[in-house]
């Protein structure tokens, strides 16, 4: 084969490769999402594309049957907030004071108008149940819908697409390239990485006070459990190979990571839990609030931004939640 023909073939392969819709092998940089007219920022950590075995091995201590059988999952890269969303950040959504602020460098991934995003109701009681809503404390008692609409609002004001993580993305990020029950090595203890029943004093704590996982994510274990996009199904691993199961009803939906009130087994990377109607037991309203729980201060969330921005129809499906 002559050099000219070899060069043509090489160029053709390069051209075709440029149109493959995948981010595998591409390196991205972490960044800080700034919010004009606010001192608050969201640190977004770059999570590389890759594959992992989702679920736990039969021999893992504390394992539940809904964690298997393990299945290989290919994950497209995304950014994830290094910390859980705080009351301070969520209050920006509640108050809507940034809706009319002009962003000097607004993104072009989202075209939604901010006034088209439904606003959450202001809490009518102390949703922290006495644990506090002060500086750097994680949001709690928020519903999956409330978490998704925060993502929609943030996307509208920044022009950058944000959503909740899928269950598979959450576990992939929590594992951070590891395959054991937890992402840290044998030299560390769970207490160095998490607030849980043994050390929390039955309350959540300021974000980022424990060691991060290998990818720079704090409080993936404990503090508050975290919403995902998925409908919970105990047989998901045997019945579906989808990246995520879209929510069609309010209960049950998947939460991950365990919380300040859970035992160490509930904090494992593969451990699954789900929402329950009893989380609104003390809600006196009829119908009950779609934005708030009254009995789940142990549930919050963090956000992601996929490397590949979905189209507008797909964006709306991620934000829909269950009203």
């Amino acid at each position: 084969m002559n050099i000219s023909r070899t060069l043509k073939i090489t160029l053709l392969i390069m051209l075709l490769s440029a149109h493959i819709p995948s981010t595998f092998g591409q390196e991205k940089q972490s960044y800080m999402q700034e919010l004009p007219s606010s001192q608050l920022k969201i640190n977004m950590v770059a999570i590389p594309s890759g594959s992992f075995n989702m679920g736990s091995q039969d021999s893992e201590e504390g394992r539940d049957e809904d964690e298997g059988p393990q299945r290989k999952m290919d994950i497209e890269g995304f950014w994830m907030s290094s910390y859980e969303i705080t009351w301070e950040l969520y209050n920006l959504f509640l108050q809507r004071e940034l809706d009319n602020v002009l962003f000097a460098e607004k993104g072009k991934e989202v075209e939604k108008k901010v006034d088209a995003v439904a606003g959450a109701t202001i809490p009518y009681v102390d949703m922290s149940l006495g644990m506090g809503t002060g500086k750097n404390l994680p949001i709690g008692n928020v519903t999956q819908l409330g978490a998704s609409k925060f993502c929609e609002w943030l996307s509208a004001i920044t022009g950058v697409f944000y959503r909740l993580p899928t269950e598979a993305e959450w576990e992939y990020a929590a594992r951070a390239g590891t395959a054991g029950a937890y992402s840290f090595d044998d030299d560390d203890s769970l207490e160095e990485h998490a607030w849980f029943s043994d050390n929390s004093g039955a309350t959540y704590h300021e974000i980022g006070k424990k060691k991060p996982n290998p990818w720079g994510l704090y409080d993936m274990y404990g503090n508050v459990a975290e919403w995902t996009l998925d409908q919970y199904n105990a047989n998901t691993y045997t019945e579906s190979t989808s990246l995520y199961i879209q929510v069609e009803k309010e209960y049950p939906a998947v939460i991950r990571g365990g919380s300040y009130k859970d035992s160490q087994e509930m904090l494992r990377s593969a451990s699954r839990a789900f929402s329950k109607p009893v989380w609104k037991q003390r809600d006196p309203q009829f119908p009950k609030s779609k934005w708030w729980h009254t009995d789940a201060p142990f549930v919050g969330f963090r956000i992601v931004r996929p490397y590949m921005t979905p189209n507008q129809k797909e964006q709306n499906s991620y934000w829909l939640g269950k009203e």
Side-chain angles (χ1 to χ4, degrees), residues 137-167:
L137 289 174
I139 182 76
N141 256 331
V142 63
T143 63
Q144 186 195 47
L145 176 67
S148 286
K149 291 303 180 182
F150 170 89
C151 295
E152 183 179 8
W153 168 81
L154 182 65
S155 301
I157 65 170
T158 62
V160 177
F161 177 65
Y162 292 106
R163 60 168 169 80
L164 295 177
T166 66
E167 187 178 10

PDB file of all heavy atoms in Angstrom, residues 137-167:
ATOM      1  N   LEU A 137     -24.962  23.001  55.732  1.00  0.00           N
ATOM      2  CA  LEU A 137     -25.723  21.825  56.141  1.00  0.00           C
ATOM      3  C   LEU A 137     -26.520  21.289  54.951  1.00  0.00           C
ATOM      4  O   LEU A 137     -27.088  22.060  54.180  1.00  0.00           O
ATOM      5  CB  LEU A 137     -26.670  22.163  57.289  1.00  0.00           C
ATOM      6  CG  LEU A 137     -25.998  22.432  58.637  1.00  0.00           C
ATOM      7  CD1 LEU A 137     -27.029  22.900  59.660  1.00  0.00           C
ATOM      8  CD2 LEU A 137     -25.266  21.187  59.150  1.00  0.00           C
ATOM      9  N   PRO A 138     -26.559  19.980  54.779  1.00  0.00           N
ATOM     10  CA  PRO A 138     -27.232  19.417  53.602  1.00  0.00           C
ATOM     11  C   PRO A 138     -28.746  19.532  53.690  1.00  0.00           C
ATOM     12  O   PRO A 138     -29.330  19.422  54.767  1.00  0.00           O
ATOM     13  CB  PRO A 138     -26.795  17.941  53.631  1.00  0.00           C
ATOM     14  CG  PRO A 138     -26.585  17.655  55.091  1.00  0.00           C
ATOM     15  CD  PRO A 138     -25.996  18.932  55.648  1.00  0.00           C
ATOM     16  N   ILE A 139     -29.384  19.761  52.558  1.00  0.00           N
ATOM     17  CA  ILE A 139     -30.839  19.793  52.494  1.00  0.00           C
ATOM     18  C   ILE A 139     -31.385  18.424  52.872  1.00  0.00           C
ATOM     19  O   ILE A 139     -30.791  17.394  52.545  1.00  0.00           O
ATOM     20  CB  ILE A 139     -31.319  20.192  51.075  1.00  0.00           C
ATOM     21  CG1 ILE A 139     -32.849  20.277  50.970  1.00  0.00           C
ATOM     22  CG2 ILE A 139     -30.792  19.243  50.017  1.00  0.00           C
ATOM     23  CD1 ILE A 139     -33.442  21.485  51.585  1.00  0.00           C
ATOM     24  N   GLY A 140     -32.522  18.401  53.557  1.00  0.00           N
ATOM     25  CA  GLY A 140     -33.195  17.155  53.905  1.00  0.00           C
ATOM     26  C   GLY A 140     -34.690  17.319  53.752  1.00  0.00           C
ATOM     27  O   GLY A 140     -35.201  18.432  53.585  1.00  0.00           O
ATOM     28  N   ASN A 141     -35.406  16.219  53.803  1.00  0.00           N
ATOM     29  CA  ASN A 141     -36.865  16.209  53.705  1.00  0.00           C
ATOM     30  C   ASN A 141     -37.395  16.686  52.362  1.00  0.00           C
ATOM     31  O   ASN A 141     -38.589  16.937  52.217  1.00  0.00           O
ATOM     32  CB  ASN A 141     -37.501  17.041  54.827  1.00  0.00           C
ATOM     33  CG  ASN A 141     -38.100  16.166  55.929  1.00  0.00           C
ATOM     34  OD1 ASN A 141     -38.530  15.057  55.676  1.00  0.00           O
ATOM     35  ND2 ASN A 141     -38.123  16.676  57.145  1.00  0.00           N
ATOM     36  N   VAL A 142     -36.534  16.835  51.377  1.00  0.00           N
ATOM     37  CA  VAL A 142     -36.978  17.248  50.052  1.00  0.00           C
ATOM     38  C   VAL A 142     -37.408  16.008  49.267  1.00  0.00           C
ATOM     39  O   VAL A 142     -36.797  14.945  49.381  1.00  0.00           O
ATOM     40  CB  VAL A 142     -35.854  18.001  49.307  1.00  0.00           C
ATOM     41  CG1 VAL A 142     -34.650  17.110  49.054  1.00  0.00           C
ATOM     42  CG2 VAL A 142     -36.349  18.599  48.006  1.00  0.00           C
ATOM     43  N   THR A 143     -38.477  16.119  48.493  1.00  0.00           N
ATOM     44  CA  THR A 143     -38.934  14.995  47.677  1.00  0.00           C
ATOM     45  C   THR A 143     -38.062  14.857  46.429  1.00  0.00           C
ATOM     46  O   THR A 143     -37.307  15.765  46.069  1.00  0.00           O
ATOM     47  CB  THR A 143     -40.395  15.182  47.235  1.00  0.00           C
ATOM     48  OG1 THR A 143     -40.484  16.355  46.412  1.00  0.00           O
ATOM     49  CG2 THR A 143     -41.316  15.320  48.440  1.00  0.00           C
ATOM     50  N   GLN A 144     -38.225  13.732  45.737  1.00  0.00           N
ATOM     51  CA  GLN A 144     -37.503  13.539  44.489  1.00  0.00           C
ATOM     52  C   GLN A 144     -37.916  14.602  43.475  1.00  0.00           C
ATOM     53  O   GLN A 144     -37.082  15.129  42.735  1.00  0.00           O
ATOM     54  CB  GLN A 144     -37.758  12.139  43.929  1.00  0.00           C
ATOM     55  CG  GLN A 144     -36.908  11.819  42.694  1.00  0.00           C
ATOM     56  CD  GLN A 144     -37.407  10.605  41.947  1.00  0.00           C
ATOM     57  OE1 GLN A 144     -38.602  10.478  41.684  1.00  0.00           O
ATOM     58  NE2 GLN A 144     -36.493   9.712  41.596  1.00  0.00           N
ATOM     59  N   LEU A 145     -39.204  14.938  43.444  1.00  0.00           N
ATOM     60  CA  LEU A 145     -39.677  15.994  42.554  1.00  0.00           C
ATOM     61  C   LEU A 145     -39.022  17.323  42.904  1.00  0.00           C
ATOM     62  O   LEU A 145     -38.562  18.055  42.017  1.00  0.00           O
ATOM     63  CB  LEU A 145     -41.191  16.134  42.640  1.00  0.00           C
ATOM     64  CG  LEU A 145     -41.794  17.284  41.821  1.00  0.00           C
ATOM     65  CD1 LEU A 145     -41.625  17.036  40.333  1.00  0.00           C
ATOM     66  CD2 LEU A 145     -43.266  17.488  42.162  1.00  0.00           C
ATOM     67  N   GLY A 146     -38.956  17.648  44.193  1.00  0.00           N
ATOM     68  CA  GLY A 146     -38.320  18.888  44.611  1.00  0.00           C
ATOM     69  C   GLY A 146     -36.863  18.957  44.216  1.00  0.00           C
ATOM     70  O   GLY A 146     -36.359  20.008  43.811  1.00  0.00           O
ATOM     71  N   ALA A 147     -36.161  17.820  44.296  1.00  0.00           N
ATOM     72  CA  ALA A 147     -34.759  17.765  43.892  1.00  0.00           C
ATOM     73  C   ALA A 147     -34.625  17.935  42.384  1.00  0.00           C
ATOM     74  O   ALA A 147     -33.750  18.655  41.891  1.00  0.00           O
ATOM     75  CB  ALA A 147     -34.137  16.441  44.344  1.00  0.00           C
ATOM     76  N   SER A 148     -35.501  17.286  41.620  1.00  0.00           N
ATOM     77  CA  SER A 148     -35.451  17.388  40.156  1.00  0.00           C
ATOM     78  C   SER A 148     -35.767  18.797  39.665  1.00  0.00           C
ATOM     79  O   SER A 148     -35.146  19.302  38.723  1.00  0.00           O
ATOM     80  CB  SER A 148     -36.430  16.398  39.518  1.00  0.00           C
ATOM     81  OG  SER A 148     -35.954  15.080  39.606  1.00  0.00           O
ATOM     82  N   LYS A 149     -36.720  19.451  40.325  1.00  0.00           N
ATOM     83  CA  LYS A 149     -37.081  20.800  39.907  1.00  0.00           C
ATOM     84  C   LYS A 149     -35.986  21.813  40.265  1.00  0.00           C
ATOM     85  O   LYS A 149     -35.825  22.825  39.574  1.00  0.00           O
ATOM     86  CB  LYS A 149     -38.409  21.210  40.530  1.00  0.00           C
ATOM     87  CG  LYS A 149     -39.601  20.435  39.966  1.00  0.00           C
ATOM     88  CD  LYS A 149     -39.706  20.594  38.447  1.00  0.00           C
ATOM     89  CE  LYS A 149     -40.875  19.822  37.885  1.00  0.00           C
ATOM     90  NZ  LYS A 149     -40.956  19.933  36.391  1.00  0.00           N
ATOM     91  N   PHE A 150     -35.224  21.554  41.327  1.00  0.00           N
ATOM     92  CA  PHE A 150     -34.043  22.378  41.598  1.00  0.00           C
ATOM     93  C   PHE A 150     -33.084  22.282  40.424  1.00  0.00           C
ATOM     94  O   PHE A 150     -32.527  23.291  39.965  1.00  0.00           O
ATOM     95  CB  PHE A 150     -33.354  21.925  42.890  1.00  0.00           C
ATOM     96  CG  PHE A 150     -32.008  22.566  43.118  1.00  0.00           C
ATOM     97  CD1 PHE A 150     -31.904  23.770  43.801  1.00  0.00           C
ATOM     98  CD2 PHE A 150     -30.839  21.966  42.655  1.00  0.00           C
ATOM     99  CE1 PHE A 150     -30.664  24.377  44.006  1.00  0.00           C
ATOM    100  CE2 PHE A 150     -29.599  22.559  42.862  1.00  0.00           C
ATOM    101  CZ  PHE A 150     -29.508  23.769  43.545  1.00  0.00           C
ATOM    102  N   CYS A 151     -32.882  21.052  39.917  1.00  0.00           N
ATOM    103  CA  CYS A 151     -31.988  20.853  38.773  1.00  0.00           C
ATOM    104  C   CYS A 151     -32.499  21.590  37.540  1.00  0.00           C
ATOM    105  O   CYS A 151     -31.719  22.197  36.795  1.00  0.00           O
ATOM    106  CB  CYS A 151     -31.861  19.363  38.467  1.00  0.00           C
ATOM    107  SG  CYS A 151     -31.079  18.377  39.757  1.00  0.00           S
ATOM    108  N   GLU A 152     -33.809  21.535  37.322  1.00  0.00           N
ATOM    109  CA  GLU A 152     -34.406  22.229  36.174  1.00  0.00           C
ATOM    110  C   GLU A 152     -34.222  23.740  36.306  1.00  0.00           C
ATOM    111  O   GLU A 152     -33.864  24.427  35.332  1.00  0.00           O
ATOM    112  CB  GLU A 152     -35.886  21.880  36.081  1.00  0.00           C
ATOM    113  CG  GLU A 152     -36.574  22.486  34.875  1.00  0.00           C
ATOM    114  CD  GLU A 152     -38.043  22.099  34.784  1.00  0.00           C
ATOM    115  OE1 GLU A 152     -38.562  21.485  35.744  1.00  0.00           O
ATOM    116  OE2 GLU A 152     -38.671  22.420  33.758  1.00  0.00           O
ATOM    117  N   TRP A 153     -34.475  24.267  37.493  1.00  0.00           N
ATOM    118  CA  TRP A 153     -34.306  25.705  37.736  1.00  0.00           C
ATOM    119  C   TRP A 153     -32.855  26.117  37.544  1.00  0.00           C
ATOM    120  O   TRP A 153     -32.557  27.123  36.879  1.00  0.00           O
ATOM    121  CB  TRP A 153     -34.773  26.037  39.151  1.00  0.00           C
ATOM    122  CG  TRP A 153     -34.393  27.411  39.618  1.00  0.00           C
ATOM    123  CD1 TRP A 153     -35.028  28.585  39.337  1.00  0.00           C
ATOM    124  CD2 TRP A 153     -33.274  27.749  40.458  1.00  0.00           C
ATOM    125  NE1 TRP A 153     -34.383  29.639  39.945  1.00  0.00           N
ATOM    126  CE2 TRP A 153     -33.303  29.147  40.641  1.00  0.00           C
ATOM    127  CE3 TRP A 153     -32.273  27.007  41.076  1.00  0.00           C
ATOM    128  CZ2 TRP A 153     -32.343  29.811  41.403  1.00  0.00           C
ATOM    129  CZ3 TRP A 153     -31.321  27.667  41.833  1.00  0.00           C
ATOM    130  CH2 TRP A 153     -31.367  29.062  41.989  1.00  0.00           C
ATOM    131  N   LEU A 154     -31.921  25.348  38.119  1.00  0.00           N
ATOM    132  CA  LEU A 154     -30.500  25.665  37.978  1.00  0.00           C
ATOM    133  C   LEU A 154     -30.084  25.636  36.512  1.00  0.00           C
ATOM    134  O   LEU A 154     -29.307  26.489  36.051  1.00  0.00           O
ATOM    135  CB  LEU A 154     -29.662  24.671  38.793  1.00  0.00           C
ATOM    136  CG  LEU A 154     -28.156  24.892  38.803  1.00  0.00           C
ATOM    137  CD1 LEU A 154     -27.798  26.200  39.497  1.00  0.00           C
ATOM    138  CD2 LEU A 154     -27.440  23.720  39.495  1.00  0.00           C
ATOM    139  N   SER A 155     -30.622  24.680  35.762  1.00  0.00           N
ATOM    140  CA  SER A 155     -30.326  24.591  34.327  1.00  0.00           C
ATOM    141  C   SER A 155     -30.851  25.810  33.580  1.00  0.00           C
ATOM    142  O   SER A 155     -30.179  26.353  32.691  1.00  0.00           O
ATOM    143  CB  SER A 155     -30.948  23.318  33.743  1.00  0.00           C
ATOM    144  OG  SER A 155     -30.455  22.165  34.377  1.00  0.00           O
ATOM    145  N   ALA A 156     -32.042  26.255  33.938  1.00  0.00           N
ATOM    146  CA  ALA A 156     -32.648  27.397  33.250  1.00  0.00           C
ATOM    147  C   ALA A 156     -31.878  28.687  33.497  1.00  0.00           C
ATOM    148  O   ALA A 156     -31.690  29.493  32.574  1.00  0.00           O
ATOM    149  CB  ALA A 156     -34.103  27.562  33.689  1.00  0.00           C
ATOM    150  N   ILE A 157     -31.414  28.903  34.725  1.00  0.00           N
ATOM    151  CA  ILE A 157     -30.729  30.173  35.002  1.00  0.00           C
ATOM    152  C   ILE A 157     -29.276  30.170  34.536  1.00  0.00           C
ATOM    153  O   ILE A 157     -28.718  31.230  34.253  1.00  0.00           O
ATOM    154  CB  ILE A 157     -30.788  30.550  36.497  1.00  0.00           C
ATOM    155  CG1 ILE A 157     -30.023  29.536  37.362  1.00  0.00           C
ATOM    156  CG2 ILE A 157     -32.225  30.706  36.965  1.00  0.00           C
ATOM    157  CD1 ILE A 157     -29.846  29.988  38.800  1.00  0.00           C
ATOM    158  N   THR A 158     -28.655  28.987  34.420  1.00  0.00           N
ATOM    159  CA  THR A 158     -27.252  28.925  34.016  1.00  0.00           C
ATOM    160  C   THR A 158     -27.069  28.601  32.540  1.00  0.00           C
ATOM    161  O   THR A 158     -26.013  28.870  31.964  1.00  0.00           O
ATOM    162  CB  THR A 158     -26.488  27.866  34.832  1.00  0.00           C
ATOM    163  OG1 THR A 158     -27.054  26.567  34.571  1.00  0.00           O
ATOM    164  CG2 THR A 158     -26.533  28.170  36.318  1.00  0.00           C
ATOM    165  N   GLY A 159     -28.088  27.991  31.915  1.00  0.00           N
ATOM    166  CA  GLY A 159     -27.947  27.540  30.537  1.00  0.00           C
ATOM    167  C   GLY A 159     -27.140  26.261  30.427  1.00  0.00           C
ATOM    168  O   GLY A 159     -26.788  25.823  29.331  1.00  0.00           O
ATOM    169  N   VAL A 160     -26.857  25.628  31.553  1.00  0.00           N
ATOM    170  CA  VAL A 160     -26.079  24.386  31.615  1.00  0.00           C
ATOM    171  C   VAL A 160     -26.997  23.281  32.137  1.00  0.00           C
ATOM    172  O   VAL A 160     -27.721  23.477  33.116  1.00  0.00           O
ATOM    173  CB  VAL A 160     -24.863  24.539  32.551  1.00  0.00           C
ATOM    174  CG1 VAL A 160     -24.090  23.225  32.666  1.00  0.00           C
ATOM    175  CG2 VAL A 160     -23.948  25.646  32.041  1.00  0.00           C
ATOM    176  N   PHE A 161     -26.983  22.118  31.491  1.00  0.00           N
ATOM    177  CA  PHE A 161     -27.924  21.059  31.835  1.00  0.00           C
ATOM    178  C   PHE A 161     -27.497  20.288  33.089  1.00  0.00           C
ATOM    179  O   PHE A 161     -26.447  19.658  33.119  1.00  0.00           O
ATOM    180  CB  PHE A 161     -28.074  20.079  30.675  1.00  0.00           C
ATOM    181  CG  PHE A 161     -28.972  18.911  30.996  1.00  0.00           C
ATOM    182  CD1 PHE A 161     -30.318  19.107  31.254  1.00  0.00           C
ATOM    183  CD2 PHE A 161     -28.467  17.625  31.057  1.00  0.00           C
ATOM    184  CE1 PHE A 161     -31.150  18.046  31.562  1.00  0.00           C
ATOM    185  CE2 PHE A 161     -29.288  16.551  31.352  1.00  0.00           C
ATOM    186  CZ  PHE A 161     -30.636  16.762  31.613  1.00  0.00           C
ATOM    187  N   TYR A 162     -28.352  20.321  34.105  1.00  0.00           N
ATOM    188  CA  TYR A 162     -28.130  19.576  35.343  1.00  0.00           C
ATOM    189  C   TYR A 162     -29.330  18.678  35.623  1.00  0.00           C
ATOM    190  O   TYR A 162     -30.465  19.009  35.286  1.00  0.00           O
ATOM    191  CB  TYR A 162     -27.931  20.538  36.522  1.00  0.00           C
ATOM    192  CG  TYR A 162     -26.649  21.328  36.459  1.00  0.00           C
ATOM    193  CD1 TYR A 162     -26.671  22.684  36.114  1.00  0.00           C
ATOM    194  CD2 TYR A 162     -25.427  20.728  36.736  1.00  0.00           C
ATOM    195  CE1 TYR A 162     -25.490  23.417  36.048  1.00  0.00           C
ATOM    196  CE2 TYR A 162     -24.248  21.457  36.668  1.00  0.00           C
ATOM    197  CZ  TYR A 162     -24.279  22.796  36.331  1.00  0.00           C
ATOM    198  OH  TYR A 162     -23.117  23.520  36.269  1.00  0.00           O
ATOM    199  N   ARG A 163     -29.072  17.558  36.274  1.00  0.00           N
ATOM    200  CA  ARG A 163     -30.127  16.622  36.669  1.00  0.00           C
ATOM    201  C   ARG A 163     -29.641  15.792  37.848  1.00  0.00           C
ATOM    202  O   ARG A 163     -28.487  15.924  38.287  1.00  0.00           O
ATOM    203  CB  ARG A 163     -30.501  15.710  35.503  1.00  0.00           C
ATOM    204  CG  ARG A 163     -29.337  14.857  34.964  1.00  0.00           C
ATOM    205  CD  ARG A 163     -29.864  13.785  34.022  1.00  0.00           C
ATOM    206  NE  ARG A 163     -28.839  13.086  33.272  1.00  0.00           N
ATOM    207  CZ  ARG A 163     -28.079  12.095  33.735  1.00  0.00           C
ATOM    208  NH1 ARG A 163     -28.178  11.714  35.007  1.00  0.00           N
ATOM    209  NH2 ARG A 163     -27.187  11.492  32.949  1.00  0.00           N
ATOM    210  N   LEU A 164     -30.517  14.932  38.355  1.00  0.00           N
ATOM    211  CA  LEU A 164     -30.111  13.957  39.359  1.00  0.00           C
ATOM    212  C   LEU A 164     -29.327  12.833  38.688  1.00  0.00           C
ATOM    213  O   LEU A 164     -29.501  12.576  37.488  1.00  0.00           O
ATOM    214  CB  LEU A 164     -31.339  13.360  40.048  1.00  0.00           C
ATOM    215  CG  LEU A 164     -32.203  14.304  40.889  1.00  0.00           C
ATOM    216  CD1 LEU A 164     -33.417  13.546  41.423  1.00  0.00           C
ATOM    217  CD2 LEU A 164     -31.401  14.889  42.037  1.00  0.00           C
ATOM    218  N   PRO A 165     -28.472  12.129  39.421  1.00  0.00           N
ATOM    219  CA  PRO A 165     -27.763  10.984  38.829  1.00  0.00           C
ATOM    220  C   PRO A 165     -28.686   9.782  38.699  1.00  0.00           C
ATOM    221  O   PRO A 165     -29.642   9.629  39.466  1.00  0.00           O
ATOM    222  CB  PRO A 165     -26.648  10.698  39.850  1.00  0.00           C
ATOM    223  CG  PRO A 165     -27.219  11.160  41.155  1.00  0.00           C
ATOM    224  CD  PRO A 165     -28.052  12.375  40.815  1.00  0.00           C
ATOM    225  N   THR A 166     -28.420   8.945  37.714  1.00  0.00           N
ATOM    226  CA  THR A 166     -29.084   7.647  37.684  1.00  0.00           C
ATOM    227  C   THR A 166     -28.498   6.788  38.800  1.00  0.00           C
ATOM    228  O   THR A 166     -27.429   7.077  39.345  1.00  0.00           O
ATOM    229  CB  THR A 166     -28.867   6.930  36.345  1.00  0.00           C
ATOM    230  OG1 THR A 166     -27.475   6.603  36.205  1.00  0.00           O
ATOM    231  CG2 THR A 166     -29.310   7.805  35.176  1.00  0.00           C
ATOM    232  N   GLU A 167     -29.191   5.712  39.110  1.00  0.00           N
ATOM    233  CA  GLU A 167     -28.686   4.807  40.136  1.00  0.00           C
ATOM    234  C   GLU A 167     -27.330   4.227  39.736  1.00  0.00           C
ATOM    235  O   GLU A 167     -26.419   4.118  40.551  1.00  0.00           O
ATOM    236  CB  GLU A 167     -29.688   3.675  40.382  1.00  0.00           C
ATOM    237  CG  GLU A 167     -29.313   2.780  41.553  1.00  0.00           C
ATOM    238  CD  GLU A 167     -30.337   1.689  41.826  1.00  0.00           C
ATOM    239  OE1 GLU A 167     -31.247   1.486  41.006  1.00  0.00           O
ATOM    240  OE2 GLU A 167     -30.198   1.023  42.862  1.00  0.00           O
TER     241      GLU A 167
END
